[in-house]
Amino acid sequence: FPVTILGDSTSVILQHNSTVSTQNHVVQLGGADWFRFRKMTFKALNANFARLVHLVGNADHNTFENNRFLGVVTTKTSSDRALVFSPGGTTDNHNVFRNNYLKDGSDGIWLNGNTVTSGYEIGTVVENNRFENQYRRTINLAWQNASVIAGNRIVSNTSYSSYYAIVAFIIVTGK
């Protein structure tokens, strides 16, 4: 059964002032499965280590709905400032991001699966979110299988000349 963490996004605020890269997250789901975060605010308090959600170690079937993700204004392109991040090396499957508001940061949602031999991330859903003012990329999905990117609204004021709203790198269906 899923564990649901429910709040009022204007009064339930999870925040962290990370000063080291090993603690660069407000929430880290390390192999955690079936968590549902609804109607909360995730907020970064440090300009250098400003990651909000870190999925790692086969974190599967987690859902983020109707939340606010508030990053930092930046002109840096490091993943240390991505709002939601999943590094290569593990597969975090069937994670859903729906009806959220994601503001600032270097990247909005940056999820990396594995290579062909190690396995793609399966079933990622990024749907009906509102993205505002990411500096480098808004949605970046790599090494994914059967992912859905739909109905998102993206607004950016970036001056970065290599900005991309959506990057879909090696996305397959039915592999």
Side-chain angles (χ1 to χ4, degrees):
F1 295 99
V3 175
T4 300
I5 302 169
L6 176 65
D8 171 354
S9 64
T10 60
S11 64
V12 177
I13 301 172
L14 296 176
Q15 58 190 15
H16 180 56
N17 185 15
S18 178
T19 57
V20 294
S21 63
T22 56
Q23 298 175 359
N24 185 11
H25 50 266
V26 173
V27 171
Q28 182 181 54
L29 297 178
D33 300 337
W34 296 104
F35 278 83
R36 184 181 306 149
F37 294 87
R38 297 189 67 221
K39 298 182 180 179
M40 305 177 77
T41 294
F42 300 86
K43 185 175 182 181
L45 298 178
N46 187 292
N48 294 315
F49 300 107
R51 196 175 290 151
L52 300 176
V53 174
H54 187 202
L55 301 172
V56 66
N58 303 343
D60 301 331
H61 298 280
N62 298 295
T63 302
F64 295 83
E65 291 180 312
N66 302 99
N67 297 296
R68 296 184 326 147
F69 294 87
L70 305 178
V72 296
V73 174
T74 186
T75 57
K76 305 291 184 190
T77 58
S78 167
S79 69
D80 287 335
R81 294 166 188 87
L83 303 182
V84 176
F85 183 68
S86 170
T90 64
T91 52
D92 305 301
N93 299 309
H94 304 287
N95 292 302
V96 176
F97 300 88
R98 183 179 291 125
N99 300 323
N100 299 293
Y101 172 66
L102 299 94
K103 184 175 181 189
D104 298 325
S106 60
D107 303 85
I109 295 177
W110 183 358
L111 305 178
N112 293 296
N114 274 317
T115 62
V116 175
T117 57
S118 301
Y120 295 119
E121 288 184 343
I122 301 168
T124 299
V125 176
V126 180
E127 183 175 61
N128 298 329
N129 298 289
R130 182 175 163 213
F131 293 90
E132 187 175 315
N133 297 337
Q134 282 73 46
Y135 182 70
R136 176 176 49 178
R137 291 177 287 224
T138 299
I139 300 169
N140 183 21
L141 300 184
W143 303 100
Q144 302 283 317
N145 182 0
S147 297
V148 174
I149 301 171
N152 298 289
R153 180 170 184 244
I154 299 171
V155 176
S156 182
N157 65 358
T158 187
S159 60
Y160 186 53
S161 62
S162 296
Y163 168 80
Y164 291 97
I166 299 174
V167 174
F169 179 74
I170 307 192
I171 307 288
V172 299
T173 301
K175 184 171 171 78

